[in-house]
Amino acid sequence: HAKHNRQSAVQLFELGMDERRLRRQKLAVGLQAALEKDELALHYQPIFRLDTGRIESLEALLRWQSPEFGHVSPLELIAVAEHHGLARALNEWVLYRACRQLRQWQLAGFDGLKVNVNISPTMFMRGQLAAAVAHTLRETGISAAALVLEITEDTSLWDTAGSLDTLHELRRIGVEIALDDFGTGYSSFSHLRQLPVNKLKIDKSFVADLSTDQRAFDLVKTIVTLAQSLEMAVTAEGIELPEQQQRLQQLGCQLGQGYLLAKPMPAEAVAGWLARDGRPYALSV
Ligand code: C2E
Ligand code: MG
Ligand code: MG
Ligand code: MG
């Protein structure tokens, strides 16, 4: 009887694997079509200067409302793209779209804003990223200083010489680089010092515990101090409570984003929001 149970458990597991693989394959086909049909969208979440309350930037976040699959999370989409040779097309689509959108907002009179674009770590290992970024900036008329690329901590970033070259080249042309979800991945402080990165984003899991857990508070304090000594600006993500915002301000964290301040919104909603909530900040430089 026990053996029978074990067997069906194995079968079930294998079925689960097959189903997952099948879903990924279907998603990949759907994603390819969505890229061609321009069915993907970007939402934008404002990032604020915590000292002045001014809006600093808008982070582009990928959204896919598929007729077949419903809402697919961007993390799953990126994973699918990575496994099926679509990462380059997808990342370049996001980059181009976000820059073109920022240009449109600039032309509408909302200047002094930046745009943050998430890029998969594997993109940094391939030679073409810096060239693609330079090309996109030229094509859309965006200055390098208005673009912040966000990368998540990934061991390969420190190990691969090609990645470091790409990061250096991007910094050389004036693009900012932010290390996303800082504290959750492989963070070696000695490597951090050598990385051509000028911003750190504290992962929202630390921010969540900030007002209740002394250790989380100490940890965030340490990250802010570390960033200051490396001359990096710190952004806190996932601010949901006023107490969290207050603590971050006390600690000297420069930038913040989260549902408390503003939620991600469709591109079409941003101009209205900027005119209402963002404009007094964005324009009073
Ligand atoms: P991320 O870059 O760390 O983005 C922050 C995530 O936290 C977003 O989830 C955002 O909607 C969510 N968030 C913002 N404020 C709050 C808050 O106050 N509380 C909570 N609980 N969550 C908050 P989203 O949009 O689902 O994206 C998840 C991840 O997918 C991103 O994490 C990023 O790693 C990746 N991603 C999203 N868009 C892209 C893209 O265009 N390209 C690439 N390569 N990755 C992307
Ligand atoms: Mg991000
Ligand atoms: Mg993050
Ligand atoms: Mg994240």
Side-chain angles (χ1 to χ4, degrees):
H1 194 66
K3 188 175 176 221
H4 174 81
N5 274 349
R6 204 174 327 133
Q7 249 174 8
S8 38
V10 169
Q11 276 160 7
L12 232 129
F13 177 71
E14 281 172 355
L15 189 71
M17 290 292 281
D18 279 349
E19 272 174 3
R20 227 173 311 158
R21 200 175 307 138
L22 202 66
R23 175 176 159 86
R24 287 207 161 173
Q25 257 154 27
K26 284 186 183 164
L27 277 173
V29 174
L31 175 58
Q32 174 121 48
L35 272 165
E36 282 157 14
K37 288 186 290 187
D38 212 23
E39 225 176 65
L40 301 169
L42 293 177
H43 282 200
Y44 292 88
Q45 185 179 32
I47 298 172
F48 298 87
R49 289 206 62 94
L50 291 177
D51 54 357
T52 60
R54 274 186 199 143
I55 177 172
E56 163 97 358
S57 186
L58 291 143
E59 179 177 3
L61 295 163
L62 187 60
R63 295 292 179 264
W64 185 27
Q65 185 60 47
S66 150
E68 190 181 350
F69 303 100
H71 169 77
V72 185
S73 105
L75 283 170
E76 186 174 19
L77 266 184
I78 297 299
V80 165
E82 295 279 349
H83 281 96
H84 290 87
L86 296 170
R88 186 176 171 188
L90 182 58
N91 279 281
E92 288 182 0
W93 181 88
V94 172
L95 179 68
Y96 180 80
R97 264 317 174 88
C99 289
R100 197 183 69 176
Q101 182 62 73
L102 180 65
R103 186 71 192 132
Q104 282 164 4
W105 288 324
Q106 287 177 346
L107 292 172
F110 303 106
D111 34 16
L113 291 172
K114 299 179 185 186
V115 72
N116 281 43
V117 177
N118 293 282
I119 302 283
S120 332
T122 55
M123 292 299 294
F124 286 85
M125 288 181 256
R126 304 174 194 170
Q128 331 90 343
L129 183 65
V133 168
H135 178 77
T136 303
L137 292 173
R138 269 198 310 276
E139 190 123 303
T140 56
I142 291 298
S143 74
L147 178 64
V148 185
L149 297 182
E150 297 193 3
I151 41 171
T152 47
E153 291 178 67
D154 190 297
T155 45
S156 53
L157 274 182
W158 342 89
D159 297 342
T160 319
S163 304
L164 283 181
D165 290 346
T166 301
L167 289 171
H168 278 293
E169 176 61 13
L170 288 165
R171 290 292 295 129
R172 197 188 60 76
I173 65 175
V175 171
E176 292 193 86
I177 308 285
L179 209 50
D180 205 350
D181 302 341
F182 185 72
T184 59
Y186 173 91
S187 32
S188 149
F189 288 166
S190 63
H191 280 138
L192 185 62
R193 205 163 48 88
Q194 292 154 22
L195 267 191
V197 158
N198 70 313
K199 282 189 152 90
L200 292 183
K201 294 188 80 171
I202 303 178
D203 191 67
K204 54 179 173 288
S205 57
F206 303 116
V207 175
D209 297 336
L210 194 58
S211 44
T212 51
D213 180 353
Q214 182 62 37
R215 274 179 306 180
F217 182 83
D218 292 342
L219 194 72
V220 170
K221 192 173 169 182
T222 304
I223 296 176
V224 173
T225 309
L226 173 79
Q228 275 163 355
S229 67
L230 294 171
E231 294 181 330
M232 296 177 184
V234 195
T235 308
E237 57 173 34
I239 303 173
E240 293 182 354
L241 302 169
E243 303 89 81
Q244 294 163 348
Q245 186 190 341
Q246 282 154 18
R247 296 238 161 160
L248 288 161
Q249 275 165 308
Q250 271 169 25
L251 291 175
C253 177
Q254 294 100 328
L255 301 165
Q257 73 188 123
Y259 296 160
L260 175 73
L261 309 172
K263 291 191 171 164
M265 57 191 126
E268 311 80 66
V270 172
W273 180 89
L274 282 171
R276 213 172 45 248
D277 296 325
R279 192 183 269 273
Y281 299 129
L283 295 187
S284 63
V285 179

